[in-house]
Amino acid sequence: MPSDAGSPLVDDPSTTDDVAEPAELFAGFVVAIDGPAGSGKSTVAGQVADALGIPHIDTGAMYRAAALACLRADTDLDDAGACRAQVDAVTIGQDRQRTRLDGEDVEEEIRGEAVTAAVSRVAAHAEVRDALVPSQRAAVTPDGGVVEGRDIGTVVLPDADLKVFLTASVEERARRRAAQSGREDLDTLTEEIAARDRSDGDRAVAPLLKADDAWELDTTELDLEGVVAAIVDRAIDVRLGPVEPDIDPLTARQRLPRVAVVGRPNVGKSTLVNRILGARVTIVEEKPGVTRDRTEHLAEWRARPFLVVDTGGWEHQATGMAARIVEQAEQAVADADVVLFVVDATVGPLEDDERYARLLRRSDVPTLLVANKVDGDKQEALIHELYPLGLGEPHGVSARHGRGIGDLLDATTARLPAEATPPPDESLVPRVAIVGKPNVGKSSLFNRLLGEERAIVDAVPHTTRDAIDTMIEIDGRPWVFVDTAGMRRRYRQGEDTELYSVDRTRRAVEDADVVLFVVDASEPLGEQDQRLAALLRDAGCGVVLVCNKWDLLDEERREDLERELDRLLSFARWAPRVNVSAVSGRGVRRLLPQLATVWENHGRRIPTRELNRVIGEAVEEHAPPRHGNRQLKIRYATQPEVRPPRVVLFVNGRLPQGYLRYLERVLRERYDLTGVPLAIEDRPRDGSRGRRRPGR
């Protein structure tokens, strides 16, 4: 692992006086690098720390400083108590990768032959180790760091996020040490290292051992760049690597009991749902008919998970859209394990309440009567008027103020099936938001993908008001599809309900991994389509462009559409496009392979060594421009994040936007990044935050 080998992008961090700002991804992350003498721990650790943007702590140098202190005081190196006393009498620390003994820079002196010969004897004393370990541990708190030295993974930092044990053949380690020190007696040096191995392995106190959970990396055939890249990749895997759940999320969600919240319009159902969830996730307004579709939400009470289902108002002899809202509510009751029948205690039981109560009494579903709007003691007497509904004792609550909610949830969970079901881990399930302006066919597409009438479809624009998410399995893969409200150009001048809907749509886009951006191909694209495109660009999600109503286009309109897409939606030339008809189902199946591709690309990570090679080739082909009298140089490249992919370039200055666009084009030509933005951030080595180019 020669120190001068590798890509021109890799610089020894010790040659610069400035240190990059710690990367957000690895803040607090601890890498412990251990291994026998001459395995390259110190050189490797410095460059790994630089690549990850966290400090480098050389604990081995602290032991060398302790040995130097004992040598200077002419201490008997075999006397544990005397060595401990000498270490206690001095101050050992590190400052900007320089080791200091009582404030004196001793970095060069501790690398000399005398200290090298003495350090093992001093470090073998348990008393000396006890004196140094607390300060070594404190060095990585709270910023984290790359720590290398004696027994890091087994003694000093047994809880490190990543433990690396470097190995190499004795001959290779001797060759590296000779190149480092300028010695020519390679045979003698080989024997010294072999003897050091035997001594370290046979120590009575904390012998050199590989931690059971350490990752062993044989560096004999690797150059410095290869070793650094391998460890950086491993660190990213540890930080980002998925953990497969014991049970697939869709099955886990389907096994959860369902609690349906039903009642006539404007009795406070959505307010109650928000109170149960402890967050405002459904739209609430003081007028009937705000909630239209049924929506499911994960909830938990006293460690008991369940799904709470919000529904639209139950109305007798409803017609049109109101009838479809009632159908959704009745389906929620049919699927429920427990029903919360909400009535307004301040108005007493109305005729519709009595009608729905009879239906619920005839059903086999356990039902709790919830008397809402009991805001204080004055309303308590109103509860007694609800007994004639025949659903047992009413539970007086105030959904707005939280009064009585705990008792209601206790009663609810007591009626759930006895078998406890663990909550699903949905963190790894891709979320797909269906976005577009009103009346472009989002809900029709949503229903077509789900294979059921889950969202209400009507010719009236803005039928969908809340974001409706549903998990389904397609070709063996679980997906969460989110139908969103349409965003009109001047929605802030309209109703409060529409304002809430648009804010919920924005949140759905921010939470999405992939967005199906639906446009009405039969109508000219306009300013609102552009506004939505800008929202998607800033969100950093994957994008699939869906041209709906394709069956309504004639040849002339198709030609106009191509020009409009090229002009209005040029920001996402990397987004795949699918032409569909949600009503007939034409082309909808072609969306699924595109979704799978975009999801995979959204999590694509380029190995660090490979990324540096590609960037290096691009630099050789077209070098960065000069900045004043200084030639800009990309020192190192790494990809610390996925979803979306983000590449960080360590540079000795600011790269022009044109050059960042050039590098993005090179990476897109080399790798399949279809459907995803590519963020490229240039991070100057002066410690300032670099700019991020989100990808075009």
Side-chain angles (χ1 to χ4, degrees):
M1 189 177 59
S3 60
D4 57 350
S7 163
L9 296 178
V10 180
D11 283 328
D12 186 341
S14 64
T15 61
T16 62
D17 293 329
D18 41 48
V19 180
E21 179 184 1
E24 295 177 4
L25 177 65
F26 288 101
F29 192 80
V30 177
V31 181
I33 300 180
D34 208 340
S39 57
K41 298 188 295 294
S42 181
T43 304
V44 167
Q47 294 207 15
V48 169
D50 190 54
L52 300 182
I54 53 181
H56 170 214
I57 297 99
D58 184 357
T59 60
M62 300 174 76
Y63 279 105
R64 288 178 172 269
L68 177 60
C70 292
L71 290 173
R72 286 181 172 181
D74 199 23
T75 304
D76 182 356
L77 302 185
D78 295 321
D79 187 335
C83 290
R84 168 65 185 263
Q86 185 57 39
V87 172
D88 286 338
V90 298
T91 301
I92 297 173
Q94 286 192 311
D95 178 26
R96 302 174 69 84
Q97 301 179 17
R98 305 294 293 181
T99 306
R100 300 187 181 277
L101 178 60
D102 285 337
E104 177 190 354
D105 187 336
V106 294
E107 187 63 33
E108 280 73 30
E109 189 173 358
I110 63 175
R111 306 296 174 182
E113 294 183 12
V115 172
T116 299
V119 65
S120 290
R121 295 167 65 187
V122 174
H125 299 312
E127 293 85 348
V128 173
R129 303 186 67 78
D130 291 342
L132 288 178
V133 166
S135 59
Q136 293 170 343
R137 290 174 178 168
V140 299
T141 304
D143 296 329
V146 181
V147 191
E148 51 82 18
R150 190 166 294 277
D151 303 331
I152 293 300
T154 55
V155 177
V156 181
L157 296 168
D159 297 327
D161 298 290
L162 172 62
K163 301 176 189 176
V164 181
F165 193 83
L166 297 180
T167 63
S169 67
V170 174
E171 293 76 15
E172 176 62 20
R173 286 187 281 141
R175 189 190 65 78
R176 295 171 187 169
R177 184 60 59 85
Q180 206 173 38
S181 61
R183 291 177 56 175
E184 297 181 356
D185 53 338
L186 191 58
D187 292 341
T188 302
L189 191 53
T190 300
E191 180 53 38
E192 289 177 359
I193 290 178
R196 172 80 176 271
D197 287 349
R198 291 190 294 271
S199 173
D200 288 347
D202 294 339
R203 287 180 308 186
V205 177
L208 179 62
L209 297 173
K210 180 173 77 73
D212 292 338
D213 55 347
W215 176 55
E216 185 170 336
L217 178 61
D218 189 337
T219 68
T220 303
E221 303 296 330
L222 296 175
D223 60 18
L224 176 59
E225 179 193 0
V227 176
V228 172
I231 297 176
V232 169
D233 286 344
R234 187 77 174 192
I236 295 175
D237 285 340
V238 170
R239 198 60 152 177
L240 302 178
V243 178
E244 292 297 328
D246 295 332
I247 184 172
D248 71 270
L250 180 59
T251 301
R253 177 181 273 231
Q254 290 173 341
R255 291 180 179 177
L256 286 178
R258 281 171 164 73
V259 176
V261 181
V262 301
R264 58 182 176 79
N266 210 35
V267 294
K269 298 184 297 300
S270 294
T271 304
L272 177 61
V273 169
N274 287 337
R275 178 64 64 178
I276 291 173
L277 298 174
R280 186 169 181 169
V281 297
T282 64
I283 298 173
V284 176
E285 193 174 349
E286 290 293 337
K287 65 178 183 180
V290 173
T291 302
R292 292 174 173 174
D293 303 284
R294 77 180 192 270
T295 60
E296 294 182 351
H297 310 275
L298 285 172
E300 184 176 294
W301 179 250
R302 300 192 188 279
R304 185 70 192 275
F306 57 92
L307 289 175
V308 60
V309 184
D310 190 20
T311 65
W314 221 347
E315 296 182 77
H316 182 56
Q317 294 182 342
T319 60
M321 185 187 299
R324 291 193 286 277
I325 294 173
V326 171
E327 291 173 1
Q328 293 285 324
E330 291 177 346
Q331 186 61 50
V333 171
D335 295 338
D337 295 280
V338 175
V339 171
L340 301 183
F341 180 42
V342 185
V343 297
D344 185 346
T346 63
V347 300
L350 302 184
E351 183 179 351
D352 278 351
D353 293 324
E354 295 173 352
R355 182 179 293 110
Y356 306 141
R358 286 195 297 271
L359 293 174
L360 291 170
R361 287 199 305 269
R362 289 197 296 265
S363 73
D364 296 329
V365 183
T367 301
L368 295 177
L369 179 59
V370 182
N372 192 26
K373 305 184 182 180
V374 181
D375 298 337
D377 294 338
K378 292 182 179 180
Q379 289 82 29
E380 284 288 344
L382 301 175
I383 295 177
H384 300 288
E385 299 178 12
L386 302 176
Y387 276 97
L389 292 175
L391 292 174
E393 181 180 357
H395 295 266
V397 304
S398 172
R400 172 174 293 181
H401 303 296
R403 190 172 189 262
I405 298 299
D407 292 338
L408 173 63
L409 288 174
D410 284 340
T412 300
T413 53
R415 287 164 175 78
L416 294 178
E419 181 182 356
T421 303
D425 179 6
E426 300 182 0
S427 60
L428 303 179
V429 179
R431 295 183 62 86
V432 182
I434 304 176
V435 176
K437 64 183 183 182
N439 218 32
V440 296
K442 299 183 299 298
S443 294
S444 296
L445 180 61
F446 180 70
N447 289 337
R448 179 67 63 176
L449 288 166
L450 267 59
E452 63 172 303
E453 294 296 318
R454 183 57 186 275
I456 296 172
V457 178
D458 197 277
V460 177
H462 213 68
T463 299
T464 302
R465 291 178 165 179
D466 218 336
I468 310 166
D469 67 279
T470 304
M471 184 184 296
I472 61 173
E473 184 176 291
I474 302 176
D475 297 334
R477 179 197 295 268
W479 298 84
V480 173
F481 285 92
V482 185
D483 188 20
T484 65
M487 297 177 66
R488 291 196 284 205
R489 177 181 176 184
R490 301 186 182 278
Y491 69 89
R492 291 190 180 275
Q493 299 178 9
E495 303 174 323
D496 288 342
T497 302
E498 190 168 348
L499 174 61
Y500 299 148
S501 297
V502 172
D503 288 341
R504 201 62 48 81
T505 296
R506 290 182 179 275
R507 188 185 308 168
V509 170
E510 292 169 357
D511 293 341
D513 300 296
V514 183
V515 165
L516 293 179
F517 182 21
V518 184
V519 298
D520 184 348
S522 67
E523 298 290 339
L525 304 183
E527 181 181 354
Q528 186 57 14
D529 294 300
Q530 265 191 312
R531 290 176 182 270
L532 283 168
L535 173 64
L536 302 184
R537 176 195 61 208
D538 297 338
C541 51
V543 177
V544 177
L545 178 62
V546 182
C547 294
N548 192 26
K549 307 184 183 181
W550 191 255
D551 52 332
L552 303 181
L553 273 67
D554 56 23
E555 192 61 35
E556 181 180 357
R557 175 58 195 149
R558 292 184 184 186
E559 293 177 359
D560 291 342
L561 178 65
E562 296 299 331
R563 289 191 292 269
E564 292 169 5
L565 290 174
D566 185 63
R567 182 178 70 255
L568 298 179
L569 305 176
S570 58
F571 86 97
R573 296 187 187 277
W574 37 261
R577 169 183 155 191
V578 182
N579 304 323
V580 306
S581 171
V583 173
S584 67
R586 175 186 172 186
V588 172
R589 289 294 299 179
R590 294 203 303 271
L591 282 173
L592 303 179
Q594 294 290 356
L595 281 174
T597 296
V598 174
W599 166 249
E600 181 179 351
N601 292 343
H602 203 235
R604 183 175 300 282
R605 185 167 63 80
I606 305 170
T608 304
R609 187 176 190 181
E610 188 176 326
L611 176 64
N612 278 277
R613 185 176 68 250
V614 173
I615 296 294
E617 293 171 356
V619 169
E620 291 179 1
E621 181 73 20
H622 179 41
R626 298 183 66 85
H627 182 72
N629 296 325
R630 180 173 55 177
Q631 174 64 49
L632 292 178
K633 183 178 181 181
I634 303 174
R635 302 184 183 278
Y636 198 78
T638 187
Q639 185 190 338
E641 292 181 5
V642 296
R643 308 206 185 284
R646 180 169 72 94
V647 172
V648 175
L649 307 174
F650 290 86
V651 192
N652 63 343
R654 298 286 192 184
L655 291 171
Q657 285 291 332
Y659 197 78
L660 292 176
R661 286 194 295 269
Y662 161 68
L663 294 179
E664 180 186 349
R665 185 171 68 253
V666 168
L667 292 173
R668 287 193 179 276
E669 289 173 353
R670 184 67 63 94
Y671 302 101
D672 183 5
L673 295 169
T674 301
V676 299
L678 175 61
I680 301 181
E681 176 183 332
D682 58 335
R683 180 169 297 177
R685 292 293 297 273
D686 60 2
S688 63
R689 166 66 68 186
R691 300 161 302 165
R692 182 180 297 186
R693 174 177 173 75
R696 295 179 61 87

